[in-house]
Amino acid sequence: MPGKINPCIPEMMMQVCFDVYGNDQAITFAVDRGELDLNIWEPIILKNIFDSFSILTKCITLFTEKCLNGIEANKEVCLKNAENSLSLSVVISSLFGYQVANKVALEAYEKNQTLREVAAKKGLLSETEAAELLNPENLIDSVKMQHLLNSKIN
């Protein structure tokens, strides 16, 4: 089919993972059945470990070459998705409680707005505070975020 992206490499990766899961299960059973220092199941343990190493090494290399190399994130779309995420309501919950955060998140969802817009419109935060506190980039810096929350709470 024209324009169709063939998923065979990612599917191969999943099949290899299924095989490794099966090997892991066999290893777990063998280790569980071993007695003291005499584990008669060592051959199956070693066979499955080395099989897993072998197929994973080959698969990861192929997956990287055929699927991952050259992929670039669309930073604008990623930022927009992060800014529109309702998970940012955890900041509002930290400041105003769960019930308020729930109402803000619901309104943002229903009106297809950001939490930043709704929080500012409701008067919970100023435009500047909302921009700073609900900036997804600030959430990955726990020290900065704690400082911002503490300054707002105090």
Side-chain angles (χ1 to χ4, degrees), residues 3 6-7 37 54 94 119 131:
N6 193 339
D37 290 333
S54 176
S94 297

Side-chain angles (χ1 to χ4, degrees), residues 27 30 41-53:
I27 292 167
W41 310 114
E42 282 180 3
I44 195 168
I45 294 169
L46 294 173
K47 178 224 175 265
N48 285 328
I49 286 174
F50 290 123
D51 281 353
S52 292
F53 289 164

